[in-house]
Amino acid sequence: MNYIEEVNSFYEWIRFKPIPAGAQALWHLLMNINNGCAVNIDGKYYWPVEFTVSNGSLTSVLDFSRTQLDRMRNVLIQSGRIVYKNVIFFSVVCACE
């Protein structure tokens, strides 16, 4: 994943498929968390396609209720921006794939 390319792709995408501001905030937080998961191997950074994050940490940072988080997550799922693996964890689908 290239972080800047992914963010630019997201903004290009939402011009034609607008989503609520809360869903945009959630997407950006997930991208930020994913960026923190990058590993440096021989001077090159690699970002995981899948990563885990608790619902509690997302609601805390975004100041969302669990219901708000579920609604915004479902917006991202329905729009094809993320794949939800189970009750607690997320997997971001990068446009670069």
Side-chain angles (χ1 to χ4, degrees):
M1 175 185 83
N2 179 300
Y3 188 86
I4 298 300
E5 286 178 12
E6 189 63 25
V7 169
N8 288 338
S9 174
F10 178 75
Y11 278 105
E12 184 130 342
W13 176 80
I14 62 171
R15 279 195 231 154
F16 302 101
K17 297 183 180 182
I19 58 174
Q24 293 176 40
L26 175 58
W27 184 87
H28 278 285
L29 178 57
L30 292 171
M31 285 296 293
N32 180 266
I33 293 167
N34 181 265
N35 192 47
C37 296
V39 293
N40 184 333
I41 301 173
D42 295 327
K44 288 188 174 187
Y45 282 92
Y46 296 90
W47 286 263
V49 173
E50 295 184 9
F51 64 98
T52 59
V53 57
S54 72
N55 289 322
S57 65
L58 297 172
T59 57
S60 175
V61 171
L62 294 169
D63 196 26
F64 280 3
S65 68
R66 177 58 194 265
T67 301
Q68 287 173 297
L69 175 63
D70 291 346
R71 274 197 326 260
M72 295 303 104
R73 180 185 60 226
N74 285 334
V75 168
L76 294 174
I77 292 167
Q78 294 301 315
S79 62
R81 298 309 299 185
I82 66 171
V83 174
Y84 187 62
K85 291 290 190 173
N86 60 39
V87 177
I88 299 174
F89 303 110
F90 284 90
S91 175
V92 170
V93 177
C94 299
C96 54
E97 292 182 1

